[in-house]
Amino acid sequence: MWEATLYIASIAAVVLMVKPGLHEISKPAGLAAHMLLALPFFALVSRFLVNDTSLQYVAAFGGEALPMKYRFAATWAAREGPILMWVVWMALLAWIWRRPMVGKSVESIAARDFRQRVMYGFSLTLLLIAAVLNPFKKTPDFFFGSGLNELLQTDLMIIHPPIIFLAYSFCIFITAISLSGIFTSGVAGIDERILSLVRPGLLVTTIGIGLGGLWAYLILDWGGYWAWDPVETGSFLPWLALVGLSHMRTRPGKVSDKGWIGAGLVVGALALFATLVTRAGGVWASSVHTFVTSETGSAPDDAFSRMMLLKSDGMAGVEIMTYLMFILLLIGAWLMLNRQSHHGRETPNSALVLLIPTVGSACAIFLGADLYHWIPDLVIFGLVLSFVGLDKISNPRIDRQTNGWSFYSGRFLPSIIILPLAIYVLIPKAFFVLLFIIFLTPMYYSNNATNEWIWASMGIMLALAGAWSGMIGVIIAAVVILVFLAPFLVEEDQPKSTTGWLTRRRLNQTALWCSVMLVSLYLVLTLVILLESIDTVNFDAHELYGAPFLLGFAAAMLTYTRRKSNYKSTLYAIGGIVLFSLFMALFYSDTLGGDSSTALSEYIDRGLIAWISFPMLLILIGPLAFEIKQQISHSGKQRFWLRIPFNAHIVHLGLALLLIGHITTTVLVDRGDASHRITLVKDEIIIDGDYGYEFTELMATEDDLDVGDGFVGAKITVYDYSEGDFEEIGVVEPGMLRFDRTGTARSEVDVLSRWSGDMVFIFDGTQAQGLMQQTSSSGLESVNLVRVTIYDLPGSHLVWIGWSLMMLGMLGVTYSGIHKTKQQVAKNQKLSEAE
């Protein structure tokens, strides 16, 4: 009976794909169809709430002893539950935006229907994947589940995963709008439609990532909120893409419809990629909180090859390959968009390619999962040929109105085919080659490749990031850079401008360009490092190569806040701050405290990285606060809290505060340094730096526990010893929770908060078993030594204050956007009535 809900929901998805305007025919029928899409998820939830162990999924991850809230959270403990939850969010968003979207122009019915079909089609694909995995299959005899992962038995895990999947649903919706622009030519007002989804999407994504950081801070024994773990880095990528999209209207010059569509495709592709990172546990073996794992994998040294191994990983391979195919299809849509832009015509039957994942999933259900395994190979090797190569053969001559340098476009072997093949021979890494194709294609189809300097910049960043991360050699990186630099190296000399290059206008334009370019280049850098971080988390590379981008952000914002000031004084100020930062980084890198003197390499330590951006970020706080004050006092028709610039600057201020807190709590803290692990002697004060720690009591209990079967911990009194006297500042009780069903334990981190920041105390889990044995034989009083890891995190409050300000500002931006849309709708209605 319960399994039938999957097929009922699938039928509803098919009906909605055929009739995306069903609500216009019958609102009750449209509402009922959307509710049926959510039926399987709530059916699964009901089984967990009543602990129906006749279902294997419930027997594996549920438990009668679990509190009701954790039974609910157990619904998304493995693969099936999150997929069905994703369908719920997709159905909700499709229902909310079921009507043509409005702005300065109203979305056409054809464009509305197409993006709704994409939403329902993706939902149908998810339902088919869920049917393959079958969360309602019966429990086999003698089956014993491991129960809900102990790290998921927290209140934050009740809300963090649903919000993340809601964020990804916004990303898919944005991509659906972009696809509708490609396949229906409904591009009028597409920027406003995309922005209307970007604003709430960015808010939800920020909330989701922040809650994940808070969970890591309070539950995981990292001692911090961020560690560049592959899963959290994967979720960071669509956030960066949304940030870039939100600033596309503020950059100088008008963004083409093609630019908006392309950016929308990127958002969805990265959301799918982030899902891949989480779900393909056998690929990113370095992740410490990928709870959906696969036993197949390892061997190859690149992510794509490992994903290919997962094809044969039972039903899980179906899910992973489907997401990968959707990503490849979005890349193909981008290539086709560039081709269409050049030829100025539509490509017949191109929309049929969107059916491949759904058809593939259907084949997996009705013909067996094994048949599904060959489909990705055909897509991978045929994608570029079908979207680019066949076009060259069937249309051998590209009629270029050339007014500048262009790439070779011969009949049978154009450079768009030759160059990627040559790069693949030199660098047999599929993801790198795909990124190379994405950045090269706009340059290839341009009449003057030098006009595509944005894509050339990203291609150069791709090569540099590949070399920095160790993915490719320096010589190969130089070859890739030369490919993207070629149009600029052979460009004929242009007449020199009689106007000086450095003016106030150009300086301000550069600052505005940074809002998009810095984010885009940083996204490429982060993605490449993540692709190479499959066996170990590359913290050093993320922080080192990211530091100049933080400096660039702060310098650009400082320039913007001083846009009405003398531009020369602005340049002098920025130059002076940069020189000061470099001087301190080179000669006094260890003066920031913490682990600033810890070496990352022969020439670089943590303090050097921190000094690069720290002074500029600190100085930025004042101008940003003044900018917000100016926005409040600025007279206008709308109240200040309804203005997007006011709310946007609150976001900027929050981000600056968060980044300062990140430097003091993450960059300057070496969580692999053994000096943070302190052995405490009972009833003796152990001095470490400016603090004293006194272990007074060992605690052990099995009573009054929300989760777990037993707790062991240490009671520690903390003293301030900065002035030579012991001043008690608090008592902490870090410990370990024992889970007998799985034979595992979970750290119970304790945090001592002060006005200057937090101190995080982590009970050393390696001693837990020995302590339990000792206490069982000799009693609690026999324990005289315990080991505790202690992290002093000055400025940690700035992280959470900054995050809160960002959410507040994004909420204001979202509300301002909705208010602006309502005003536009009212204006359109008045014009219609007047006509």
Side-chain angles (χ1 to χ4, degrees):
M1 178 185 71
W2 301 109
E3 189 174 346
T5 61
L6 289 168
Y7 299 100
I8 293 172
S10 298
I11 293 171
V14 171
V15 170
L16 288 169
M17 286 182 69
V18 175
K19 291 287 186 182
L22 180 62
H23 65 279
E24 296 172 346
I25 301 172
S26 170
K27 187 174 181 180
L31 180 60
H34 285 80
M35 293 177 67
L36 287 176
L37 291 177
L39 184 61
F41 174 74
F42 289 107
L44 185 59
V45 169
S46 71
R47 297 303 85 203
F48 270 100
L49 294 180
V50 298
N51 194 38
D52 183 2
T53 55
S54 66
L55 301 183
Q56 183 176 339
Y57 191 67
V58 178
F61 303 104
E64 188 175 0
L66 281 176
M68 196 64 69
K69 59 183 178 181
Y70 294 144
R71 292 191 198 179
F72 176 66
T75 310
W76 46 84
R79 294 186 181 277
E80 298 89 330
I83 292 174
L84 296 178
M85 178 171 60
W86 202 348
V87 174
V88 174
W89 290 129
M90 295 288 289
L92 177 63
L93 296 185
W95 174 257
I96 293 174
W97 279 278
R98 62 191 180 276
R99 299 185 179 88
M101 301 175 73
V102 296
K104 291 182 179 178
S105 60
V106 180
E107 182 183 27
S108 67
I109 296 297
R112 188 280 308 267
D113 288 351
F114 190 93
R115 52 113 167 143
Q116 290 290 87
R117 285 189 172 108
V118 172
M119 294 287 284
Y120 301 134
F122 185 72
S123 298
L124 175 59
T125 302
L126 293 175
L127 288 167
L128 293 174
I129 295 172
V132 172
L133 299 172
N134 192 6
F136 300 109
K137 58 178 173 283
K138 295 297 182 181
T139 305
D141 294 334
F142 307 109
F143 176 84
F144 298 97
S146 59
L148 182 62
N149 188 301
E150 60 272 8
L151 293 177
L152 299 179
Q153 296 182 38
T154 69
D155 292 348
L156 285 171
M157 283 298 102
I158 300 174
I159 54 178
H160 167 62
I163 290 178
I164 285 293
F165 276 98
L166 175 58
Y168 292 166
S169 299
F170 272 105
C171 293
I172 299 298
F173 201 154
I174 292 167
T175 294
I177 295 173
S178 291
L179 289 172
S180 72
I182 296 174
F183 292 107
T184 69
S185 298
V187 295
I190 197 168
D191 55 337
E192 292 183 329
R193 295 200 293 277
I194 288 177
L195 276 176
S196 66
L197 269 296
V198 166
R199 289 162 181 155
L202 184 56
L203 169 64
V204 172
T205 308
T206 303
I207 294 173
I209 294 177
L211 288 174
L214 188 60
W215 169 68
Y217 192 73
L218 298 176
I219 303 301
L220 291 182
D221 53 2
W222 289 352
Y225 77 103
W226 194 262
W228 292 109
D229 180 85
V231 170
E232 61 183 6
T233 307
S235 67
F236 185 48
L237 293 173
W239 185 87
L240 286 172
L242 288 168
V243 170
L245 252 175
S246 67
H247 288 86
M248 283 180 63
R249 186 172 279 183
T250 62
R251 50 138 274 195
K254 183 178 179 350
V255 180
S256 65
D257 294 331
K258 172 184 156 186
W260 285 102
I261 292 172
L265 294 175
V266 168
V267 170
L270 290 176
L272 290 168
F273 182 79
T275 308
L276 261 182
V277 175
T278 305
R279 314 288 277 184
V283 177
W284 275 270
S286 58
S287 177
V288 299
H289 62 299
T290 300
F291 302 107
V292 181
T293 60
S294 302
E295 295 180 358
T296 309
S298 63
D301 62 353
D302 69 288
F304 190 85
S305 297
R306 290 192 181 182
M307 286 182 186
M308 292 300 98
L309 287 181
L310 295 178
K311 288 189 300 178
S312 58
D313 189 18
M315 296 303 180
V318 174
E319 179 189 6
I320 294 166
M321 290 301 108
T322 298
Y323 298 147
L324 181 59
M325 283 196 300
F326 266 111
I327 293 172
L328 293 171
L329 290 170
L330 293 179
I331 294 173
W334 166 244
L335 304 182
M336 188 179 66
L337 173 64
N338 282 275
R339 188 180 67 183
Q340 287 182 0
S341 299
H342 179 81
H343 290 307
R345 59 174 176 81
E346 295 298 323
T347 304
N349 300 322
S350 294
L352 292 177
V353 76
L354 295 174
L355 296 176
I356 292 178
T358 303
V359 173
S361 299
C363 290
I365 291 174
F366 297 110
L367 300 178
D370 288 339
L371 180 65
Y372 193 82
H373 294 154
W374 57 266
I375 295 177
D377 297 305
L378 292 182
V379 177
I380 293 161
F381 294 109
L383 186 68
V384 176
L385 183 64
S386 63
F387 280 99
V388 181
L390 289 180
D391 175 75
K392 295 299 303 175
I393 296 172
S394 60
N395 300 281
R397 188 177 72 86
I398 292 183
D399 184 19
R400 296 183 189 269
Q401 302 295 325
T402 304
N403 54 12
W405 197 92
S406 58
F407 285 91
Y408 172 71
S409 59
R411 178 171 183 176
F412 296 109
L413 290 174
S415 54
I416 193 64
I417 292 179
I418 294 174
L419 289 173
L421 288 176
I423 294 298
Y424 186 76
V425 171
L426 295 171
I427 314 167
K429 294 181 183 289
F431 278 129
F432 186 93
V433 177
L434 284 172
L435 290 171
F436 176 86
I437 294 171
I438 291 170
F439 301 147
L440 179 66
T441 301
M443 300 180 69
Y444 171 77
Y445 281 112
S446 175
N447 291 332
N448 184 355
T450 57
N451 292 334
E452 306 297 332
W453 60 271
I454 296 175
W455 300 106
S457 300
M458 293 186 186
I460 294 170
M461 188 73 251
L462 172 66
L464 292 175
W468 292 337
S469 65
M471 178 182 287
I472 62 177
V474 176
I475 301 299
I476 303 301
V479 172
V480 175
I481 290 174
L482 281 176
V483 170
F484 288 101
L485 276 183
F488 306 93
L489 295 176
V490 301
E491 183 185 21
E492 296 181 1
D493 292 338
Q494 298 293 327
K496 293 183 179 180
S497 174
T498 56
T499 307
W501 182 87
L502 198 55
T503 62
R504 175 191 292 179
R505 179 173 176 271
R506 290 185 177 175
L507 187 63
N508 291 337
Q509 284 182 332
T510 301
L512 291 172
W513 264 112
C514 285
S515 63
V516 175
M517 288 305 301
L518 283 177
V519 171
S520 301
L521 296 176
Y522 186 57
L523 192 155
V524 174
L525 171 68
T526 306
L527 175 58
V528 172
I529 295 177
L530 174 60
L531 288 172
E532 194 59 15
S533 302
I534 54 178
D535 288 320
T536 182
V537 176
N538 205 335
F539 174 91
D540 300 348
H542 281 292
E543 295 295 345
L544 175 60
Y545 301 127
F549 288 90
L550 300 187
L551 175 65
F553 157 75
M557 285 304 307
L558 187 61
T559 301
Y560 177 80
T561 58
R562 291 177 54 83
R563 59 192 178 276
K564 296 179 182 179
S565 304
N566 184 287
Y567 74 95
K568 290 185 178 180
S569 64
T570 300
L571 284 174
Y572 293 147
I574 292 175
I577 298 169
V578 171
L579 289 175
F580 172 77
S581 297
L582 292 176
F583 176 80
M584 296 299 293
L586 293 173
F587 300 105
Y588 297 96
S589 61
D590 60 348
T591 55
L592 288 174
D595 298 320
S596 58
S597 59
T598 302
L600 297 178
S601 69
E602 184 178 357
Y603 303 105
I604 298 173
D605 57 27
R606 290 176 175 269
L608 186 148
I609 296 175
W611 271 115
I612 291 174
S613 56
F614 193 63
M616 191 76 76
L617 287 168
L618 279 177
I619 292 173
L620 177 63
I621 299 301
L624 278 177
F626 182 76
E627 183 75 25
I628 294 172
K629 178 178 177 297
Q630 290 290 96
Q631 290 290 338
I632 294 174
S633 59
H634 176 70
S635 60
K637 295 180 180 179
Q638 289 185 332
R639 296 181 176 89
F640 67 86
W641 60 81
L642 291 176
R643 299 182 200 142
I644 290 179
F646 166 76
N647 292 294
H649 287 306
I650 291 180
V651 177
H652 296 150
L653 177 60
L655 179 57
L657 291 172
L658 188 150
L659 291 175
I660 293 171
H662 176 81
I663 291 173
T664 60
T665 63
T666 305
V667 179
L668 292 174
V669 178
D670 182 5
R671 291 181 174 81
D673 189 345
S675 65
H676 292 289
R677 184 178 295 181
I678 302 174
T679 298
L680 302 180
V681 181
K682 191 173 183 180
D683 297 327
E684 291 186 17
I685 299 177
I686 305 299
I687 300 173
D688 184 71
D690 293 333
Y691 300 96
Y693 309 101
E694 183 182 12
F695 163 46
T696 59
E697 179 184 355
L698 184 71
M699 301 172 296
T701 182
E702 297 181 356
D703 302 325
D704 300 325
L705 299 176
D706 289 336
V707 295
D709 301 294
F711 172 82
V712 59
K715 190 172 186 178
I716 302 169
T717 304
V718 185
Y719 300 92
D720 186 344
Y721 190 64
S722 58
E723 298 181 359
D725 295 324
F726 292 106
E727 179 185 352
E728 182 178 334
I729 57 177
V731 177
V732 293
E733 298 177 355
M736 300 287 295
L737 272 176
R738 188 182 78 247
F739 293 82
D740 293 340
R741 185 175 180 181
T742 58
T744 57
R746 184 185 84 192
S747 291
E748 285 291 281
V749 176
D750 204 355
V751 178
L752 177 63
S753 291
R754 307 181 68 199
W755 69 268
S756 58
D758 291 338
M759 297 181 69
V760 178
F761 293 79
I762 304 168
F763 193 79
D764 186 356
T766 61
Q767 67 187 331
Q769 185 174 359
L771 288 177
M772 288 182 180
Q773 292 176 350
Q774 181 177 347
T775 55
S776 63
S777 61
S778 304
L780 293 176
E781 296 299 323
S782 66
V783 176
N784 294 314
L785 297 173
V786 293
R787 288 191 307 275
V788 181
T789 302
I790 303 173
Y791 296 111
D792 184 16
L793 306 177
S796 59
H797 302 324
L798 294 178
V799 172
W800 309 115
I801 293 172
W803 176 51
S804 301
L805 283 176
M806 289 175 67
M807 290 191 295
L808 178 64
M810 289 175 183
L811 181 63
V813 168
T814 302
Y815 181 77
S816 300
I818 295 172
H819 181 73
K820 185 178 178 181
T821 300
K822 288 181 178 179
Q823 288 182 325
Q824 188 64 49
V825 170
K827 183 178 179 181
N828 292 342
Q829 289 176 345
K830 288 182 180 179
L831 290 174
S832 299
E833 293 172 359
E835 292 175 356

